[in-house]
Amino acid sequence: MRAGLAAAMLLCPLAVAGPAFAQPKVNLEQTFADSLQAMPKEELAVSGGFYVPAYSSVAMSQGKLRVDFSVTLSVHNASETQALVVRRIAYFDTAGKQVESYLKAPVAVKPLATISIFIPTDDVRGGTGANFIVDWAAASEIAEPAVEALMVGGVANAHYAFISQGRPTRTVGKK
């Protein structure tokens, strides 16, 4: 039995990885200083949000194998002329429990600039149904930001990468 487990670990170390510990917090203000600017002085009259599905783990091989992925969440300011204020970036697990909050205070992203959050492969706290909520605002009418998650991972010699696009959060129902 032990020889079989050792062989499995050599062939597929991701399948037997232990639980991840919290990763050190990234300081967005320092990491993306070139992408940020001072907060707009005008009132923030426009706002929106995105729900972004992410997959830190995926079941494969009829559910007998778990493959872990790194996740990069990117928030792109699609406006050529004005700042995009990012108010909140929160990461949730499969059960809907908040795992991490990435902003201490809102940040203003320069026109056509991007900020990102990286979750390493060994941080599997999000699970198979992880997701992000990204809330944003602007001083006036603005091109809607592009928000997406890139997952990258592999097993043995097979590597996988895929993108999950954010979906605007809007209230739906009867008017």
Side-chain angles (χ1 to χ4, degrees):
M1 182 73 174
R2 282 198 159 150
L5 180 59
M9 289 175 65
L10 287 173
L11 293 174
C12 187
L14 296 174
V16 292
F21 297 99
Q23 299 297 318
K25 284 224 179 190
V26 172
N27 184 330
L28 284 173
E29 292 84 352
Q30 287 179 340
T31 305
F32 293 98
D34 290 344
S35 293
L36 301 177
Q37 68 178 50
M39 291 291 287
K41 295 187 187 322
E42 305 86 13
E43 178 184 341
L44 299 175
V46 178
S47 64
F50 281 90
Y51 171 88
V52 188
Y55 306 90
S56 63
S57 298
V58 174
M60 297 180 85
S61 188
Q62 289 86 34
K64 296 177 185 173
L65 175 67
R66 183 187 87 198
V67 180
D68 300 329
F69 290 86
S70 65
V71 179
T72 302
L73 174 81
S74 295
V75 180
H76 304 269
N77 182 354
S79 172
E80 293 185 56
T81 59
Q82 70 172 303
L84 173 74
V85 175
V86 179
R87 290 180 161 165
R88 175 171 78 138
I89 300 175
Y91 183 50
F92 296 84
D93 69 11
T94 303
K97 179 182 172 210
Q98 185 171 314
V99 173
E100 201 73 59
S101 178
Y102 290 96
L103 292 177
K104 294 179 203 134
V107 295
V109 181
K110 292 178 183 176
L112 299 179
T114 302
I115 59 172
S116 298
I117 299 295
F118 178 76
I119 299 172
T121 305
D122 64 351
D123 184 345
V124 295
R125 295 176 297 159
T128 58
N131 59 80
F132 292 92
I133 296 291
V134 178
D135 292 329
W136 61 270
S140 62
E141 192 173 283
I142 188 172
E144 192 168 60
V147 183
E148 57 193 8
L150 168 66
M151 279 64 62
V152 178
V155 176
N157 291 331
H159 300 284
Y160 306 93
F162 55 99
I163 291 175
S164 176
Q165 295 183 334
R167 293 157 174 81
T169 53
R170 296 187 182 112
T171 303
V172 294
K174 294 181 180 180
K175 286 190 177 189

